[in-house]
Short mmCIF file of all heavy atoms in Angstrom, two decimals:
data_model
loop_
_atom_site.label_atom_id
_atom_site.label_comp_id
_atom_site.label_asym_id
_atom_site.label_seq_id
_atom_site.Cartn_x
_atom_site.Cartn_y
_atom_site.Cartn_z
N VAL A 805 135.45 -42.81 -97.30
CA VAL A 805 135.59 -43.59 -98.54
C VAL A 805 137.00 -43.45 -99.10
O VAL A 805 137.67 -44.45 -99.39
CB VAL A 805 134.54 -43.18 -99.59
CG1 VAL A 805 134.90 -43.71 -100.97
CG2 VAL A 805 133.16 -43.67 -99.18
N SER A 806 137.50 -42.22 -99.25
CA SER A 806 138.81 -42.09 -99.90
C SER A 806 139.93 -42.62 -99.02
O SER A 806 140.86 -43.27 -99.51
CB SER A 806 139.06 -40.64 -100.35
OG SER A 806 138.93 -39.77 -99.27
N LEU A 807 139.83 -42.40 -97.72
CA LEU A 807 140.84 -42.94 -96.81
C LEU A 807 140.82 -44.48 -96.83
O LEU A 807 141.87 -45.13 -96.94
CB LEU A 807 140.56 -42.42 -95.38
CG LEU A 807 141.46 -42.92 -94.26
CD1 LEU A 807 142.91 -42.52 -94.48
CD2 LEU A 807 140.96 -42.39 -92.91
N SER A 808 139.62 -45.07 -96.74
CA SER A 808 139.50 -46.53 -96.72
C SER A 808 139.99 -47.14 -98.03
O SER A 808 140.66 -48.18 -98.04
CB SER A 808 138.05 -46.95 -96.49
OG SER A 808 137.57 -46.45 -95.28
N ARG A 809 139.65 -46.49 -99.13
CA ARG A 809 140.04 -47.01 -100.44
C ARG A 809 141.57 -47.09 -100.54
O ARG A 809 142.14 -48.07 -101.01
CB ARG A 809 139.47 -46.12 -101.54
CG ARG A 809 139.65 -46.70 -102.93
CD ARG A 809 139.25 -45.71 -103.99
NE ARG A 809 137.83 -45.71 -104.27
CZ ARG A 809 137.09 -44.62 -104.40
NH1 ARG A 809 137.64 -43.43 -104.28
NH2 ARG A 809 135.81 -44.70 -104.68
N ASP A 810 142.22 -46.07 -100.05
CA ASP A 810 143.67 -46.01 -100.06
C ASP A 810 144.28 -47.12 -99.17
O ASP A 810 145.20 -47.82 -99.58
CB ASP A 810 144.09 -44.61 -99.58
CG ASP A 810 145.58 -44.44 -99.54
OD1 ASP A 810 146.22 -44.70 -100.58
OD2 ASP A 810 146.12 -44.09 -98.48
N ILE A 811 143.73 -47.27 -97.98
CA ILE A 811 144.25 -48.29 -97.04
C ILE A 811 144.05 -49.69 -97.61
O ILE A 811 144.97 -50.51 -97.61
CB ILE A 811 143.53 -48.16 -95.67
CG1 ILE A 811 143.90 -46.84 -95.00
CG2 ILE A 811 143.86 -49.34 -94.76
CD1 ILE A 811 143.01 -46.45 -93.82
N VAL A 812 142.84 -49.96 -98.10
CA VAL A 812 142.52 -51.29 -98.63
C VAL A 812 143.42 -51.62 -99.82
O VAL A 812 143.92 -52.74 -99.95
CB VAL A 812 141.02 -51.34 -99.02
CG1 VAL A 812 140.71 -52.51 -99.94
CG2 VAL A 812 140.15 -51.41 -97.76
N ALA A 813 143.67 -50.63 -100.68
CA ALA A 813 144.51 -50.88 -101.87
C ALA A 813 145.96 -51.12 -101.46
O ALA A 813 146.60 -52.06 -101.95
CB ALA A 813 144.41 -49.69 -102.82
N ARG A 814 146.49 -50.30 -100.57
CA ARG A 814 147.91 -50.44 -100.21
C ARG A 814 148.19 -51.76 -99.51
O ARG A 814 149.23 -52.37 -99.73
CB ARG A 814 148.35 -49.27 -99.33
CG ARG A 814 148.71 -48.03 -100.16
CD ARG A 814 149.32 -46.92 -99.33
NE ARG A 814 148.35 -46.32 -98.42
CZ ARG A 814 148.27 -46.55 -97.12
NH1 ARG A 814 149.14 -47.37 -96.54
NH2 ARG A 814 147.36 -45.96 -96.39
N HIS A 815 147.27 -52.22 -98.67
CA HIS A 815 147.51 -53.45 -97.90
C HIS A 815 146.82 -54.67 -98.52
O HIS A 815 146.88 -55.76 -97.95
CB HIS A 815 147.04 -53.29 -96.46
CG HIS A 815 147.76 -52.20 -95.70
ND1 HIS A 815 149.04 -52.35 -95.24
CD2 HIS A 815 147.37 -50.95 -95.36
CE1 HIS A 815 149.40 -51.23 -94.62
NE2 HIS A 815 148.41 -50.36 -94.69
N LYS A 816 146.13 -54.46 -99.66
CA LYS A 816 145.40 -55.56 -100.31
C LYS A 816 144.47 -56.27 -99.31
O LYS A 816 144.49 -57.49 -99.17
CB LYS A 816 146.37 -56.54 -100.96
CG LYS A 816 147.26 -55.89 -102.01
CD LYS A 816 148.16 -56.91 -102.70
CE LYS A 816 148.85 -56.34 -103.92
NZ LYS A 816 149.55 -55.06 -103.67
#
Side-chain angles (χ1 to χ4, degrees):
V805 165
S806 55
L807 177 62
S808 301
R809 188 188 276 135
D810 180 54
I811 293 166
V812 163
R814 277 187 291 103
H815 298 285
K816 301 183 169 51

